[in-house]
Amino acid sequence: MSGLTPLFIVLILYFTGIPIAYALFGATLAYFAFANTGSPSHLILQKFITSSQSFSLLAIPFFVMAGSIMNYAGISKKLMSFADVLTGHMPGALAQVNVLLSMLMGGVSGSANADAAMEAKMLVPEMERRGYDRGFAAAITAASSAVTPVIPPGINLIIYALIANVSVGKMFMAGYIPGIFMAICLMVTVHIISKKRGYKPTREKPATAKEIGHQALDSIWAIFFPFGIIGGMRIGIFTPSECGAVAVLYCIIVGAFIYKELKPEHIAPILKETVEGTAGVVLIIVAANVFGQYMTWEGIPGLISKALLSITSNKYLMLFIINCILLIVGMFMEGGAAMIILAPLLIPVVSTMGVDLVHFGLIIIVNIMIGGLTPPFGSMMFTVCSITKCSIPEFVKEDVAFIVALLVALFIVTYFPNLTLFIPNLLF
Protein backbone atom coordinates (compact mmCIF):
# COMPACT_ATOMS: atom_id res chain seq x y z
CA MET A 1 0.00 0.00 0.00
CA SER A 2 1.38 3.42 -1.02
CA GLY A 3 1.91 6.04 1.68
CA LEU A 4 -0.73 8.25 0.04
CA THR A 5 -3.29 5.49 -0.45
CA PRO A 6 -5.19 6.22 2.82
CA LEU A 7 -5.85 9.77 1.59
CA PHE A 8 -7.53 8.39 -1.52
CA ILE A 9 -9.43 5.83 0.60
CA VAL A 10 -10.84 8.67 2.73
CA LEU A 11 -12.03 10.58 -0.34
CA ILE A 12 -13.53 7.49 -1.98
CA LEU A 13 -15.39 6.47 1.18
CA TYR A 14 -16.59 10.04 1.81
CA PHE A 15 -17.95 10.53 -1.71
CA THR A 16 -19.75 7.18 -1.57
CA GLY A 17 -21.74 8.48 1.38
CA ILE A 18 -19.76 7.12 4.33
CA PRO A 19 -19.69 9.61 7.24
CA ILE A 20 -16.33 11.36 7.42
CA ALA A 21 -15.48 9.95 10.87
CA TYR A 22 -15.87 6.34 9.64
CA ALA A 23 -13.98 7.16 6.44
CA LEU A 24 -11.03 8.43 8.50
CA PHE A 25 -11.11 5.39 10.80
CA GLY A 26 -11.35 3.00 7.86
CA ALA A 27 -8.42 4.53 6.01
CA THR A 28 -6.24 4.56 9.12
CA LEU A 29 -7.11 0.96 9.96
CA ALA A 30 -6.24 -0.13 6.42
CA TYR A 31 -2.87 1.62 6.66
CA PHE A 32 -1.81 0.07 9.97
CA ALA A 33 -3.23 -3.34 9.07
CA PHE A 34 -1.70 -3.73 5.60
CA ALA A 35 1.03 -1.12 5.07
CA ASN A 36 2.64 -0.35 8.42
CA THR A 37 2.49 -3.83 9.93
CA GLY A 38 5.52 -3.19 12.12
CA SER A 39 3.62 -0.81 14.40
CA PRO A 40 2.01 -2.09 17.61
CA SER A 41 -1.49 -3.37 16.91
CA HIS A 42 -2.95 -1.41 19.80
CA LEU A 43 -1.65 1.93 18.47
CA ILE A 44 -4.95 3.03 16.89
CA LEU A 45 -7.03 2.16 19.97
CA GLN A 46 -4.55 3.94 22.23
CA LYS A 47 -4.68 7.08 20.09
CA PHE A 48 -8.46 6.87 19.99
CA ILE A 49 -8.67 6.84 23.78
CA THR A 50 -6.06 9.54 24.44
CA SER A 51 -7.65 11.85 21.84
CA SER A 52 -10.93 11.78 23.72
CA GLN A 53 -9.29 12.63 27.05
CA SER A 54 -8.93 16.35 26.47
CA PHE A 55 -10.38 18.73 29.04
CA SER A 56 -10.99 21.31 26.31
CA LEU A 57 -13.40 18.90 24.57
CA LEU A 58 -15.82 19.40 27.46
CA ALA A 59 -16.56 22.85 26.06
CA ILE A 60 -18.29 21.30 23.04
CA PRO A 61 -21.23 19.51 24.73
CA PHE A 62 -21.80 22.47 27.03
CA PHE A 63 -22.01 25.00 24.20
CA VAL A 64 -24.13 22.64 22.09
CA MET A 65 -26.53 22.31 25.02
CA ALA A 66 -26.55 26.08 25.60
CA GLY A 67 -27.52 26.63 21.97
CA SER A 68 -30.29 24.06 22.22
CA ILE A 69 -31.67 25.55 25.45
CA MET A 70 -31.63 28.98 23.87
CA ASN A 71 -34.14 27.90 21.22
CA TYR A 72 -36.60 26.81 23.92
CA ALA A 73 -35.86 29.61 26.40
CA GLY A 74 -37.12 32.58 24.39
CA ILE A 75 -33.67 34.11 24.02
CA SER A 76 -33.79 34.02 20.21
CA LYS A 77 -37.16 35.84 20.18
CA LYS A 78 -35.76 38.64 22.32
CA LEU A 79 -32.74 38.97 20.06
CA MET A 80 -35.00 39.13 16.99
CA SER A 81 -37.08 41.92 18.55
CA PHE A 82 -33.92 43.86 19.31
CA ALA A 83 -32.61 43.32 15.75
CA ASP A 84 -35.91 44.56 14.31
CA VAL A 85 -35.71 47.80 16.29
CA LEU A 86 -32.22 48.44 14.91
CA THR A 87 -32.83 47.56 11.24
CA GLY A 88 -36.60 47.66 10.70
CA HIS A 89 -36.43 51.03 8.92
CA MET A 90 -34.06 49.76 6.20
CA PRO A 91 -35.09 48.48 2.75
CA GLY A 92 -35.47 44.71 2.96
CA ALA A 93 -35.97 45.06 6.71
CA LEU A 94 -36.71 41.40 7.43
CA ALA A 95 -33.63 40.33 5.48
CA GLN A 96 -31.57 42.85 7.49
CA VAL A 97 -33.07 41.44 10.68
CA ASN A 98 -32.06 37.99 9.42
CA VAL A 99 -28.40 39.04 9.15
CA LEU A 100 -28.27 40.98 12.41
CA LEU A 101 -30.01 38.17 14.29
CA SER A 102 -27.39 35.69 13.05
CA MET A 103 -24.65 37.99 14.32
CA LEU A 104 -26.34 38.25 17.72
CA MET A 105 -27.01 34.51 17.75
CA GLY A 106 -23.30 33.85 17.24
CA GLY A 107 -22.72 34.70 20.85
CA VAL A 108 -25.37 32.23 21.93
CA SER A 109 -25.54 29.13 19.72
CA GLY A 110 -22.32 29.21 17.70
CA SER A 111 -23.74 26.70 15.20
CA ALA A 112 -24.42 27.57 11.55
CA ASN A 113 -26.91 24.76 10.95
CA ALA A 114 -28.78 25.42 14.21
CA ASP A 115 -29.06 29.10 13.32
CA ALA A 116 -30.08 28.32 9.72
CA ALA A 117 -32.81 25.91 10.88
CA MET A 118 -34.15 28.31 13.50
CA GLU A 119 -34.32 31.33 11.15
CA ALA A 120 -35.70 29.23 8.28
CA LYS A 121 -38.64 28.31 10.53
CA MET A 122 -39.02 31.71 12.17
CA LEU A 123 -38.30 34.29 9.45
CA VAL A 124 -38.66 32.77 5.98
CA PRO A 125 -42.46 32.20 6.16
CA GLU A 126 -42.96 35.80 7.32
CA MET A 127 -40.64 37.08 4.58
CA GLU A 128 -42.68 35.22 1.95
CA ARG A 129 -45.91 36.67 3.36
CA ARG A 130 -44.43 40.15 2.95
CA GLY A 131 -43.53 39.66 -0.70
CA TYR A 132 -39.95 38.38 -0.60
CA ASP A 133 -39.04 35.74 -3.18
CA ARG A 134 -38.63 32.33 -1.56
CA GLY A 135 -35.20 31.85 -3.12
CA PHE A 136 -34.00 35.20 -1.79
CA ALA A 137 -35.38 34.51 1.69
CA ALA A 138 -33.79 31.06 1.78
CA ALA A 139 -30.46 32.31 0.40
CA ILE A 140 -30.04 35.17 2.90
CA THR A 141 -31.02 32.84 5.74
CA ALA A 142 -28.29 30.37 4.78
CA ALA A 143 -25.74 33.10 4.03
CA SER A 144 -26.35 34.92 7.31
CA SER A 145 -25.97 31.67 9.24
CA ALA A 146 -22.36 31.57 8.00
CA VAL A 147 -21.69 34.47 10.39
CA THR A 148 -22.81 32.56 13.48
CA PRO A 149 -19.87 30.12 13.95
CA VAL A 150 -17.29 32.88 13.41
CA ILE A 151 -18.50 34.81 16.45
CA PRO A 152 -17.76 33.10 19.79
CA PRO A 153 -18.55 30.61 21.12
CA GLY A 154 -18.57 28.99 17.67
CA ILE A 155 -17.79 25.27 17.83
CA ASN A 156 -15.40 25.54 14.88
CA LEU A 157 -13.33 28.05 16.85
CA ILE A 158 -12.88 25.44 19.59
CA ILE A 159 -12.11 22.64 17.13
CA TYR A 160 -9.47 24.67 15.31
CA ALA A 161 -7.87 25.75 18.60
CA LEU A 162 -7.53 22.07 19.54
CA ILE A 163 -6.05 21.15 16.14
CA ALA A 164 -3.57 24.05 16.02
CA ASN A 165 -2.80 24.00 19.75
CA VAL A 166 -3.61 27.70 20.17
CA SER A 167 -5.53 29.46 22.92
CA VAL A 168 -9.31 29.00 22.78
CA GLY A 169 -9.62 32.41 24.41
CA LYS A 170 -7.61 34.07 21.64
CA MET A 171 -9.67 32.30 18.98
CA PHE A 172 -12.84 33.52 20.65
CA MET A 173 -11.62 37.11 20.82
CA ALA A 174 -10.39 37.04 17.22
CA GLY A 175 -13.81 35.96 15.91
CA TYR A 176 -15.68 39.19 16.58
CA ILE A 177 -14.23 41.48 13.89
CA PRO A 178 -14.36 38.92 11.02
CA GLY A 179 -17.94 38.09 12.01
CA ILE A 180 -18.86 41.78 11.93
CA PHE A 181 -17.18 42.19 8.52
CA MET A 182 -19.22 39.30 7.15
CA ALA A 183 -22.46 40.77 8.53
CA ILE A 184 -21.72 44.22 7.09
CA CYS A 185 -20.96 42.81 3.63
CA LEU A 186 -24.22 40.83 3.68
CA MET A 187 -26.26 43.81 4.89
CA VAL A 188 -24.87 46.04 2.13
CA THR A 189 -25.77 43.37 -0.43
CA VAL A 190 -29.28 43.04 1.02
CA HIS A 191 -29.72 46.83 0.84
CA ILE A 192 -28.72 46.96 -2.85
CA ILE A 193 -30.96 44.04 -3.87
CA SER A 194 -33.90 45.29 -1.78
CA LYS A 195 -33.75 48.77 -3.31
CA LYS A 196 -33.91 47.22 -6.79
CA ARG A 197 -36.78 44.85 -5.95
CA GLY A 198 -38.76 47.14 -3.69
CA TYR A 199 -38.59 45.06 -0.51
CA LYS A 200 -40.11 47.36 2.10
CA PRO A 201 -39.08 48.31 5.64
CA THR A 202 -41.15 47.04 8.57
CA ARG A 203 -41.00 50.45 10.25
CA GLU A 204 -41.84 53.84 8.71
CA LYS A 205 -38.88 55.58 10.32
CA PRO A 206 -35.81 54.68 12.39
CA ALA A 207 -36.46 53.82 16.00
CA THR A 208 -35.79 56.57 18.48
CA ALA A 209 -33.10 56.28 21.10
CA LYS A 210 -35.86 55.74 23.66
CA GLU A 211 -37.35 52.84 21.68
CA ILE A 212 -33.95 51.24 21.19
CA GLY A 213 -33.15 51.67 24.88
CA HIS A 214 -36.49 50.18 25.91
CA GLN A 215 -36.05 47.13 23.65
CA ALA A 216 -32.44 46.72 24.75
CA LEU A 217 -33.57 46.71 28.36
CA ASP A 218 -36.27 44.15 27.55
CA SER A 219 -33.67 41.97 25.80
CA ILE A 220 -30.81 42.65 28.22
CA TRP A 221 -30.51 39.08 29.49
CA ALA A 222 -30.13 37.77 25.94
CA ILE A 223 -27.73 40.56 24.89
CA PHE A 224 -25.57 40.24 28.01
CA PHE A 225 -24.96 36.53 27.51
CA PRO A 226 -21.99 36.61 25.07
CA PHE A 227 -20.30 39.51 26.82
CA GLY A 228 -20.71 37.89 30.21
CA ILE A 229 -19.22 34.52 29.33
CA ILE A 230 -16.40 35.92 27.19
CA GLY A 231 -15.59 38.57 29.80
CA GLY A 232 -15.56 35.97 32.56
CA MET A 233 -13.15 33.81 30.58
CA ARG A 234 -10.90 36.75 29.73
CA ILE A 235 -10.42 37.91 33.32
CA GLY A 236 -9.76 34.36 34.45
CA ILE A 237 -12.94 33.51 36.34
CA PHE A 238 -13.33 30.29 34.34
CA THR A 239 -11.74 28.23 31.57
CA PRO A 240 -13.41 27.70 28.15
CA SER A 241 -14.90 24.39 29.37
CA GLU A 242 -16.15 25.97 32.58
CA CYS A 243 -17.41 28.84 30.43
CA GLY A 244 -19.63 26.36 28.57
CA ALA A 245 -21.04 25.02 31.83
CA VAL A 246 -21.79 28.57 33.01
CA ALA A 247 -23.48 29.25 29.65
CA VAL A 248 -25.81 26.27 30.17
CA LEU A 249 -26.67 27.37 33.71
CA TYR A 250 -27.25 30.96 32.55
CA CYS A 251 -29.62 29.87 29.74
CA ILE A 252 -31.57 27.65 32.14
CA ILE A 253 -32.00 30.44 34.70
CA VAL A 254 -32.98 33.03 32.08
CA GLY A 255 -35.35 30.68 30.24
CA ALA A 256 -37.04 29.20 33.33
CA PHE A 257 -37.21 32.11 35.76
CA ILE A 258 -36.93 35.35 33.76
CA TYR A 259 -38.49 34.72 30.34
CA LYS A 260 -40.45 31.73 31.76
CA GLU A 261 -40.57 29.89 28.43
CA LEU A 262 -38.36 26.92 29.36
CA LYS A 263 -40.59 24.04 30.51
CA PRO A 264 -39.91 20.54 31.94
CA GLU A 265 -41.14 18.95 28.70
CA HIS A 266 -38.23 20.63 26.88
CA ILE A 267 -35.64 18.58 28.80
CA ALA A 268 -35.90 15.46 26.61
CA PRO A 269 -35.46 17.24 23.23
CA ILE A 270 -32.63 19.39 24.64
CA LEU A 271 -30.74 16.31 25.85
CA LYS A 272 -31.36 14.50 22.55
CA GLU A 273 -30.07 17.46 20.50
CA THR A 274 -27.05 17.79 22.78
CA VAL A 275 -26.08 14.13 22.55
CA GLU A 276 -26.54 14.03 18.77
CA GLY A 277 -24.63 17.27 18.21
CA THR A 278 -21.80 16.39 20.57
CA ALA A 279 -21.37 12.80 19.40
CA GLY A 280 -21.00 13.84 15.78
CA VAL A 281 -18.45 16.57 16.46
CA VAL A 282 -16.32 14.68 19.00
CA LEU A 283 -16.25 11.49 16.92
CA ILE A 284 -14.91 13.48 13.96
CA ILE A 285 -12.24 15.13 16.14
CA VAL A 286 -11.09 11.77 17.53
CA ALA A 287 -11.09 10.21 14.05
CA ALA A 288 -9.04 13.11 12.73
CA ASN A 289 -6.48 12.65 15.52
CA VAL A 290 -6.21 8.94 14.72
CA PHE A 291 -5.83 9.77 11.02
CA GLY A 292 -3.20 12.33 11.99
CA GLN A 293 -1.15 9.46 13.45
CA TYR A 294 -0.89 7.98 9.96
CA MET A 295 -0.03 11.36 8.36
CA THR A 296 2.69 12.00 10.95
CA TRP A 297 4.13 8.51 10.43
CA GLU A 298 4.35 9.07 6.67
CA GLY A 299 5.55 12.69 7.01
CA ILE A 300 2.72 13.94 4.80
CA PRO A 301 2.48 17.45 6.38
CA GLY A 302 6.15 17.93 5.53
CA LEU A 303 5.60 16.77 1.95
CA ILE A 304 2.65 19.12 1.49
CA SER A 305 4.65 21.96 3.02
CA LYS A 306 7.57 21.41 0.63
CA ALA A 307 5.25 21.16 -2.37
CA LEU A 308 3.48 24.45 -1.59
CA LEU A 309 6.67 26.28 -0.63
CA SER A 310 8.18 25.23 -3.96
CA ILE A 311 5.43 27.21 -5.70
CA THR A 312 6.11 30.52 -3.95
CA SER A 313 7.82 32.00 -0.93
CA ASN A 314 5.50 35.03 -0.90
CA LYS A 315 3.23 34.87 2.15
CA TYR A 316 0.34 36.75 0.54
CA LEU A 317 0.40 34.71 -2.66
CA MET A 318 0.52 31.54 -0.55
CA LEU A 319 -2.59 32.64 1.37
CA PHE A 320 -4.31 33.28 -1.97
CA ILE A 321 -3.43 29.76 -3.17
CA ILE A 322 -4.61 28.22 0.10
CA ASN A 323 -7.89 30.16 -0.08
CA CYS A 324 -8.47 28.87 -3.61
CA ILE A 325 -7.79 25.30 -2.47
CA LEU A 326 -10.16 25.64 0.48
CA LEU A 327 -12.91 27.20 -1.65
CA ILE A 328 -12.70 24.36 -4.19
CA VAL A 329 -12.57 21.67 -1.50
CA GLY A 330 -15.50 23.38 0.27
CA MET A 331 -17.67 22.82 -2.79
CA PHE A 332 -17.28 19.05 -2.47
CA MET A 333 -16.69 18.40 1.22
CA GLU A 334 -18.56 19.43 4.37
CA GLY A 335 -16.78 22.35 6.04
CA GLY A 336 -15.96 20.77 9.38
CA ALA A 337 -14.52 17.69 7.69
CA ALA A 338 -12.46 19.86 5.34
CA MET A 339 -11.00 21.84 8.23
CA ILE A 340 -10.13 18.75 10.28
CA ILE A 341 -8.36 17.09 7.33
CA LEU A 342 -6.65 20.13 5.77
CA ALA A 343 -5.72 22.28 8.78
CA PRO A 344 -2.97 19.89 10.03
CA LEU A 345 -1.53 19.83 6.49
CA LEU A 346 -1.57 23.60 5.99
CA ILE A 347 -0.51 24.80 9.44
CA PRO A 348 3.17 23.82 8.94
CA VAL A 349 3.21 25.79 5.66
CA VAL A 350 1.84 29.03 7.08
CA SER A 351 3.92 28.67 10.26
CA THR A 352 7.07 28.57 8.14
CA MET A 353 5.99 31.82 6.50
CA GLY A 354 5.27 33.58 9.78
CA VAL A 355 1.47 33.66 9.54
CA ASP A 356 -0.17 33.94 12.95
CA LEU A 357 -2.03 30.68 13.60
CA VAL A 358 -5.01 32.43 15.21
CA HIS A 359 -5.32 34.62 12.11
CA PHE A 360 -5.01 31.55 9.87
CA GLY A 361 -7.75 29.83 11.86
CA LEU A 362 -10.17 32.65 11.04
CA ILE A 363 -9.22 32.41 7.36
CA ILE A 364 -10.04 28.68 7.34
CA ILE A 365 -13.31 29.07 9.26
CA VAL A 366 -14.64 31.93 7.11
CA ASN A 367 -13.67 29.94 4.03
CA ILE A 368 -15.42 26.73 5.05
CA MET A 369 -18.52 28.71 5.96
CA ILE A 370 -18.68 29.90 2.36
CA GLY A 371 -18.40 26.24 1.34
CA GLY A 372 -21.55 25.58 3.37
CA LEU A 373 -23.51 27.67 0.86
CA THR A 374 -22.33 25.99 -2.32
CA PRO A 375 -23.54 22.84 -4.05
CA PRO A 376 -23.21 19.91 -4.08
CA PHE A 377 -22.46 19.48 -0.34
CA GLY A 378 -23.35 22.82 1.29
CA SER A 379 -24.77 21.88 4.70
CA MET A 380 -26.56 25.20 5.34
CA MET A 381 -27.94 25.11 1.80
CA PHE A 382 -29.49 21.68 2.40
CA THR A 383 -30.76 22.66 5.87
CA VAL A 384 -32.57 25.77 4.63
CA CYS A 385 -33.87 24.27 1.39
CA SER A 386 -35.30 21.22 3.17
CA ILE A 387 -37.19 23.38 5.67
CA THR A 388 -38.40 26.08 3.26
CA LYS A 389 -39.10 23.68 0.33
CA CYS A 390 -36.97 25.92 -1.88
CA SER A 391 -35.46 24.19 -4.92
CA ILE A 392 -31.67 24.03 -5.18
CA PRO A 393 -31.55 25.89 -8.56
CA GLU A 394 -33.75 28.67 -7.15
CA PHE A 395 -31.53 28.88 -4.08
CA VAL A 396 -28.26 28.95 -6.04
CA LYS A 397 -29.53 31.70 -8.35
CA GLU A 398 -30.14 34.01 -5.38
CA ASP A 399 -27.13 32.80 -3.42
CA VAL A 400 -24.45 34.03 -5.83
CA ALA A 401 -24.62 37.67 -4.69
CA PHE A 402 -24.21 36.66 -1.03
CA ILE A 403 -21.26 34.38 -1.81
CA VAL A 404 -19.56 37.34 -3.52
CA ALA A 405 -20.25 39.47 -0.45
CA LEU A 406 -18.68 36.84 1.82
CA LEU A 407 -15.68 36.56 -0.50
CA VAL A 408 -15.11 40.29 0.03
CA ALA A 409 -15.15 39.65 3.78
CA LEU A 410 -12.73 36.74 3.30
CA PHE A 411 -10.35 39.04 1.42
CA ILE A 412 -10.42 41.55 4.29
CA VAL A 413 -9.85 38.83 6.88
CA THR A 414 -6.97 37.33 4.85
CA TYR A 415 -5.00 40.45 3.99
CA PHE A 416 -5.64 42.70 6.96
CA PRO A 417 -4.42 40.54 9.87
CA ASN A 418 -4.00 43.51 12.20
CA LEU A 419 -7.75 44.13 12.02
CA THR A 420 -8.56 40.46 12.56
CA LEU A 421 -6.20 40.24 15.54
CA PHE A 422 -6.97 43.66 16.99
CA ILE A 423 -9.03 42.42 19.94
CA PRO A 424 -6.79 39.47 20.97
CA ASN A 425 -3.68 41.66 20.62
CA LEU A 426 -5.33 44.27 22.77
CA LEU A 427 -6.40 41.87 25.52
CA PHE A 428 -3.65 39.23 25.57
Side-chain angles (χ1 to χ4, degrees):
M1 178 183 287
S2 167
L4 295 178
T5 302
L7 286 173
F8 295 108
I9 292 175
V10 168
L11 294 176
I12 292 170
L13 291 176
Y14 180 77
F15 287 119
T16 54
I18 304 296
I20 188 62
Y22 300 122
L24 292 169
F25 279 130
T28 308
L29 182 62
Y31 171 77
F32 284 103
F34 301 108
N36 192 350
T37 55
S39 299
S41 58
H42 61 270
L43 184 64
I44 296 178
L45 181 60
Q46 184 181 55
K47 187 65 177 176
F48 180 94
I49 295 172
T50 56
S51 298
S52 64
Q53 294 175 338
S54 169
F55 182 72
S56 298
L57 283 176
L58 286 175
I60 294 175
F62 284 132
F63 281 120
V64 171
M65 178 174 278
S68 180
I69 294 172
M70 170 211 66
N71 289 326
Y72 296 97
I75 293 174
S76 55
K77 293 179 183 177
K78 294 294 183 181
L79 290 175
M80 188 173 76
S81 298
F82 181 63
D84 184 56
V85 167
L86 295 178
T87 62
H89 62 284
M90 299 179 181
L94 280 178
Q96 301 286 12
V97 168
N98 202 318
V99 177
L100 188 57
L101 178 58
S102 289
M103 191 171 70
L104 294 172
M105 289 279 288
V108 183
S109 73
S111 168
N113 286 312
D115 178 62
M118 184 274 293
E119 293 192 21
K121 295 173 184 174
M122 184 184 297
L123 283 174
V124 172
E126 183 62 25
M127 291 177 73
E128 287 191 73
R129 280 194 290 271
R130 299 200 184 194
Y132 291 79
D133 293 335
R134 177 178 295 181
F136 175 84
I140 187 56
T141 299
S144 69
S145 69
V147 178
T148 305
V150 180
I151 297 175
I155 301 300
N156 283 337
L157 296 171
I158 301 172
I159 294 173
Y160 175 82
L162 295 172
I163 293 172
N165 196 28
V166 297
S167 165
V168 174
K170 283 188 178 181
M171 285 301 302
F172 276 9
M173 296 301 175
Y176 283 109
I177 291 179
I180 292 170
F181 282 152
M182 294 168 72
I184 290 172
C185 290
L186 289 174
M187 292 178 80
V188 169
T189 306
V190 166
H191 180 85
I192 294 170
I193 294 174
S194 298
K195 289 284 284 186
K196 288 182 178 179
R197 299 186 183 180
Y199 294 146
K200 302 296 184 182
T202 56
R203 303 172 61 93
E204 294 183 1
K205 56 184 180 179
T208 63
K210 183 178 180 180
E211 288 177 305
I212 294 174
H214 181 269
Q215 186 58 55
L217 188 63
D218 186 51
S219 308
I220 190 64
W221 295 104
I223 297 170
F224 173 76
F225 174 76
F227 300 104
I229 61 172
I230 298 300
M233 186 172 61
R234 173 64 191 93
I235 63 178
I237 296 177
F238 35 68
T239 67
S241 297
E242 293 165 347
C243 176
V246 171
V248 170
L249 182 61
Y250 181 91
C251 288
I252 290 173
I253 292 172
V254 171
F257 302 108
I258 298 176
Y259 294 155
K260 298 182 179 178
E261 294 194 24
L262 191 63
K263 307 295 182 185
E265 57 265 27
H266 295 149
I267 295 175
I270 287 171
L271 291 176
K272 180 182 177 183
E273 291 170 15
T274 301
V275 171
E276 290 177 348
T278 302
V281 172
V282 173
L283 188 61
I284 290 174
I285 293 174
V286 172
N289 283 326
V290 172
F291 190 70
Q293 187 78 17
Y294 139 72
M295 290 196 294
T296 301
W297 200 282
E298 286 289 336
I300 290 176
L303 294 175
I304 299 293
S305 180
K306 288 179 182 179
L308 288 174
L309 289 172
S310 68
I311 298 174
T312 180
S313 59
N314 184 290
K315 176 171 68 175
Y316 301 104
L317 181 57
M318 181 62 72
L319 288 175
F320 175 79
I321 293 171
I322 289 174
N323 269 327
C324 291
I325 293 171
L326 289 170
L327 286 169
I328 293 170
V329 170
M331 293 180 184
F332 300 98
M333 184 175 286
E334 193 273 326
M339 179 176 70
I340 287 171
I341 293 173
L342 294 179
L345 300 175
L346 298 174
I347 286 171
V349 180
V350 297
S351 296
T352 302
M353 296 188 140
V355 176
D356 186 280
L357 291 186
V358 172
H359 172 224
F360 184 62
L362 268 300
I363 293 174
I364 289 182
I365 292 169
V366 172
N367 210 310
I368 64 174
M369 286 300 100
I370 296 173
L373 305 174
T374 58
F377 292 107
S379 60
M380 292 101 79
M381 174 185 71
F382 285 128
T383 297
V384 171
C385 287
S386 64
I387 292 173
T388 62
K389 309 303 180 186
C390 177
S391 68
I392 298 295
E394 186 181 5
F395 174 91
V396 172
K397 178 183 175 182
E398 297 284 357
D399 190 40
V400 173
F402 300 121
I403 290 176
V404 171
L406 291 174
L407 288 174
V408 171
L410 177 62
F411 176 85
I412 295 171
V413 171
T414 301
Y415 292 108
F416 295 89
N418 289 336
L419 286 175
T420 303
L421 299 174
F422 175 76
I423 296 178
N425 287 341
L426 184 67
L427 296 178
F428 286 89

